[in-house]
Each structure stands twice: as C-alpha cells, then as structure tokens.
Amino acid sequence: MPIVVDIDVMLARRKMSVGELADRVGITPANLAVLKNGRAKAVRFTTLAALCDVLMCQPGDLLRWEAEDISDD
C-alpha cells in the first residue's frame, strides 16, 4: 500500500508506549495496532486529530505516501 504509517517513529520520539497512547487517544490498543501496522482501511479525522494532539505532531508526521514499486517482470 502506498500510504505508510509512522506512528512507531513518533512513539519512540515521545518515549510513549502503545498502551499509553491508546488510553490517551481513547481507542483500544487493538485498534491502534491495526492502524499502526498499516492494516487499517480508513482513519477518522477525529482519531487522527487526537493522535496529533497527544503526540504533539502534524498528520504528515504520522502518514506519508510512497510510490508503489512497479516492476516489469
């Protein structure tokens, strides 16, 4: 998928655990793991805003686009 989730990077920078982030954002650790591991199909703007608020960052610090590798096999 061309959208890469960098929540792990921000967690490391803030020295915060997944459990603490989930508690402070108000989502379950399981749902945060789905988002963190790039398996989510969508994210609510309210959740994204809460993540940014708690992590003191911008949406672009958490999500980035990477071109898909298209190979000629």
Side-chain angles (χ1 to χ4, degrees):
M1 168 163 296
I3 300 297
V4 178
V5 181
D6 287 327
I7 291 176
D8 282 339
V9 173
M10 292 308 297
L11 283 171
R13 287 182 183 165
R14 302 297 186 251
K15 295 178 173 53
M16 188 180 298
S17 70
V18 172
E20 180 183 352
L21 180 60
D23 284 343
R24 292 179 63 184
V25 170
I27 62 175
T28 67
N31 283 339
L32 181 57
V34 168
L35 178 59
K36 184 176 72 77
N37 295 323
R39 295 189 319 260
K41 299 295 179 194
V43 60
R44 293 176 190 257
F45 281 170
T46 53
T47 301
L48 183 58
L51 287 166
C52 290
D53 184 42
V54 170
L55 294 170
M56 296 176 292
C57 66
Q58 294 294 314
D61 296 325
L62 302 177
L63 303 171
R64 63 187 161 88
W65 177 82
E66 278 188 1
E68 291 189 46
D69 185 24
I70 300 173
S71 60
D72 297 327
D73 287 31

